[in-house]
Amino acid sequence: MRRWTAWLGRMVAAAVLMPALVFGFAGCAASPERADEDVAGPQWQLIPRRAPGAADATHPARLTGVRAEDQDGFDRLTFTYAGERPGYLVAYAGSDADGRTTLRVILEHVTGRTSRDLTPDLQAIRGVRQRPADDQTIETTVRVTDAGRGKGVPFRVGLSIGGFYVDVAHPDQLTVPVG
């Protein structure tokens, strides 16, 4: 009986500690020291966000959908895919011809429908244009309304199983704490 109790205790400890070791301890995400660090998480930022992803040239992810939708206090641009997570870079890229701030989302090691235009006309996301940049790289340009700030509004990047999203704060929500 004592052996069974000790074994059960070790299994419970492993069940509690393993997710923390695999996924990282909650609340321990640090703000990046440099703009080229790998970053994902709940922090609202104006600096570039990037991560290499698990997909590669021999096993690319397959893009299955893109949608933009209004949320409470922000707009969300969601990319869904099959396979391993593609690498990404999200960064402000200046202004378009109409003077609107543009946010670039580059997905690496991804295939699928690579050209589309969305005109969601949301509070922050006004338009989405997606084009192939080269083999297995898709560039999405997001027109953002930034209430005349000229430098964009804070955004954050998030990951889920089979999905990658970019949240863009509504211009009237500029009290969002920037990490």
Side-chain angles (χ1 to χ4, degrees), residues 24-126:
F25 290 95
C28 292
S31 294
E33 298 283 325
R34 302 179 336 215
D36 62 321
E37 287 187 41
D38 296 343
V39 181
Q43 303 87 2
W44 291 95
Q45 302 282 343
L46 290 170
I47 63 171
R49 314 291 295 269
R50 73 173 69 233
D56 59 25
T58 57
H59 298 96
R62 185 174 51 83
L63 187 64
T64 58
V66 177
R67 71 178 180 277
E69 57 194 355
D70 181 51
Q71 302 285 323
D72 187 24
F74 60 91
D75 293 341
R76 175 167 287 175
L77 182 62
T78 303
F79 299 85
T80 54
Y81 56 86
E84 297 291 338
R85 181 176 50 85
Y88 65 84
L89 168 64
V90 182
Y92 276 107
S95 299
D96 65 9
D98 297 327
R100 288 207 171 114
T101 304
T102 58
L103 184 66
R104 281 185 12 190
V105 179
I106 298 174
L107 299 177
E108 299 171 332
H109 303 299
V110 65
T111 61
R113 183 176 171 199
T114 58
S115 293
R116 72 182 80 217
D117 292 327
L118 302 174
T119 52
D121 199 26
L122 302 172
Q123 290 184 55
I125 298 176
R126 308 298 287 186

